[in-house]
Amino acid sequence: MAHNISYSRRLRRTPFTSGVEAAGVKSFTVYNRMLLPTVFEDIEFDYHHLKSDVQVWDVAVERQVELIGPDASKLMQMLTPRDLSKMQDDQCYYVPIVDDHGKMLNDPVAIKHSDTRWWISIADGDLLFWVKALALGMGLNVSVFEPDVSPLAVQGPKASDLMERVFGNEVHDIRFFRQKRLKFADTTFVVSRSGYSKQGGFEIYVEGSEYGMPLWNALFEAGGDLNVRPGCPNLIERIEGGLLSYGNDMNMENTPLECGLGKFCKFAEGSEFIGKDAIALEASHGPARQIRAISIQGRAIAPPRAAWPLLKDGERVGQVTSAAWSPDFATNVAIGMVDASHWDPGTELTVETSRGPRMARVEEGFWI
Ligand code: THG
């Protein structure tokens, strides 16, 4: 079953889409109403290449919500259970965003520029509306908008080598989840050591769409002998690494504790944020279910298009939301949400795939 997608202004192109198309992209998904490449050669070829060389990813779909003004830091802290009080001006934090019931609205990366300026690098969802409404409702002195900023990721074991050639030696000074402004052409970009893979790398926040293709071209010209290729977040690699996908592995029905993000909800006593009571209550008795690494026995499965029920003796005890064949681990790797009664490592379950039942097992951890 292969269909075409109909393009229009609503389905936004990115500053890099023309480069992605010229490079022979095979398929896209839609994320934040924008095109996100999902396959270049094929998913297994892309996977091996990501783990051995270096790739350039159009992740412009990681849209920014910018907060600017005297109350920017107050607003940012209201949005997340994660304690931001010790965050430095060059840090990035992975932050759960929850509603008043403590349910997940998004799981973005927050980039702090200063006490009066932040970017929230969002996962799939209209977080902008929530942030604008909160600023308005609280009467805060802050403006909230989507700037012309498009992240381009450089991921893989040779990412530092490639980045050094385009941005100079300073790239080596950037530590994990820190950022620094580096020169490109007649401008500067925020460059952070982060990205949606476990292979290491950087994200370049391209400010000004007109710089998109010049940067794309500069990276490919500099990296010919590094075997640089276009790539994209890779389903197999991100499941092995346990990187969650909002809307797939969790959504507004889940809490951060269920998502295994409890370590990002250790707030200070006097802190104020939306969902505090709900988060504190759940922390006191623990979550009812939680994200787990799951292996699925047998030959390669086709990735799920909907949640697959996890069963024990015919009873539903969870679901699998992401799954793929892992060439390196020679098993199907998966991410699931499993009830407390059945979440211990080694528990054997049945997963109801779209092509029938398979044996599944709760693993100790992800494949890293
Ligand atoms: N980078 C940026 N924006 C993003 C993503 C990104 N927005 C959308 C999406 N990805 C948000 N979700 C995630 C999920 C995982 C991580 C980052 C964003 C991540 N996690 C690491 C881990 O789990 O090992 C590190 C977490 C930590 O220790 O702080 O990187 O990728 N700009």
Side-chain angles (χ1 to χ4, degrees):
M1 230 191 351
H3 310 283
N4 289 319
I5 198 161
S6 299
Y7 294 91
S8 75
R9 187 180 183 208
R10 275 194 302 101
L11 209 183
R12 299 179 289 177
R13 294 169 65 82
T14 85
F16 319 108
T17 302
S18 59
V20 161
E21 287 170 338
V25 64
K26 297 258 170 61
S27 48
F28 287 108
T29 188
V30 178
Y31 191 105
N32 285 325
R33 292 170 281 114
M34 202 173 227
L35 291 168
L36 173 63
T38 52
V39 182
F40 280 88
E41 202 60 37
D42 63 61
I43 193 170
E44 292 197 11
F45 180 96
D46 294 353
Y47 160 88
H48 290 301
H49 179 264
L50 168 62
K51 288 178 138 190
S52 62
D53 295 293
V54 55
Q55 297 184 345
V56 176
W57 296 3
D58 173 2
V59 283
V61 298
E62 297 168 357
R63 303 313 295 164
Q64 308 305 299
V65 174
E66 180 159 342
L67 317 183
I68 195 159
D71 290 333
S73 289
K74 184 175 183 191
L75 176 58
M76 188 67 231
Q77 184 62 87
M78 283 304 294
L79 289 165
T80 180
R82 188 159 179 187
D83 179 11
L84 307 178
S85 62
K86 300 206 172 60
M87 193 172 173
Q88 312 276 303
D89 285 1
D90 69 337
Q91 275 188 294
C92 312
Y93 273 10
Y94 183 37
V95 289
I97 307 272
V98 299
D99 70 8
D100 49 323
H101 301 288
K103 304 284 188 163
M104 293 286 292
L105 295 178
N106 208 286
D107 69 329
V109 176
I111 297 100
K112 185 175 184 181
H113 299 274
S114 73
D115 272 327
T116 57
R117 189 177 182 217
W118 294 74
W119 283 340
I120 309 174
S121 186
I122 64 171
D124 190 31
D126 290 309
L127 195 71
L128 181 64
F129 299 154
W130 174 257
V131 183
K132 281 173 79 74
L134 183 61
L136 184 64
M138 289 183 71
L140 297 177
N141 186 356
V142 58
S143 54
V144 178
F145 58 96
E146 182 178 310
D148 180 12
V149 172
S150 294
L152 188 67
V154 178
Q155 300 285 300
K158 299 181 190 165
S160 298
D161 299 337
L162 177 56
M163 287 294 286
E164 184 194 303
R165 295 182 189 184
V166 174
F167 289 97
N169 275 321
E170 281 182 280
V171 299
H172 303 299
D173 303 336
I174 307 172
R175 288 186 287 142
F176 187 62
F177 268 59
R178 299 270 173 168
Q179 52 94 358
K180 198 175 170 124
R181 256 190 196 277
L182 299 180
K183 263 175 63 69
F184 178 76
D186 63 349
T187 190
T188 62
F189 297 136
V190 168
V191 176
S192 62
R193 198 181 283 266
S194 57
Y196 199 63
S197 87
K198 287 286 194 184
Q199 305 310 309
F202 298 83
E203 291 179 299
I204 307 155
Y205 292 81
V206 178
E207 258 175 292
S209 293
E210 68 276 18
Y211 291 105
M213 284 313 297
L215 176 61
W216 176 276
N217 291 329
L219 287 163
F220 284 98
E221 278 158 26
D225 61 311
L226 295 174
N227 193 24
V228 61
R229 290 183 53 90
C232 47
N234 183 274
L235 179 69
I236 310 167
E237 196 272 347
R238 77 126 179 121
I239 296 172
E240 287 179 357
L243 294 174
L244 304 180
S245 168
Y246 188 79
N248 285 320
D249 303 314
M250 75 293 203
N251 60 24
M252 216 185 286
E253 293 171 17
N254 301 115
T255 66
L257 265 68
E258 290 178 351
C259 300
L261 303 179
K263 60 180 178 291
F264 302 126
C265 298
K266 302 231 180 304
F267 52 87
E269 193 49 56
S271 65
E272 209 195 336
F273 61 88
I274 293 170
K276 187 175 178 182
D277 293 348
I279 297 284
L281 179 64
E282 192 188 23
S284 71
H285 55 66
R289 50 191 177 176
Q290 201 168 52
I291 289 284
R292 283 291 180 274
I294 310 273
S295 60
I296 300 175
Q297 265 77 89
R299 64 193 159 77
I301 43 110
R305 297 182 179 192
W308 288 339
L310 276 168
L311 309 171
K312 186 72 180 185
D313 304 326
E315 208 146 325
R316 191 181 172 123
V317 298
Q319 60 185 14
V320 162
T321 48
S322 297
W325 174 258
S326 163
D328 285 352
F329 294 93
T331 185
N332 293 294
V333 293
I335 300 176
M337 185 75 77
V338 187
D339 292 351
S341 54
H342 292 80
W343 72 19
D344 288 344
T347 305
E348 310 238 306
L349 302 171
T350 300
V351 59
E352 201 63 61
T353 80
S354 44
R355 301 211 186 142
R358 286 282 186 100
M359 289 222 317
R361 199 165 76 113
V362 178
E363 296 294 328
E364 191 84 50
F366 287 94
W367 291 263
I368 38 174

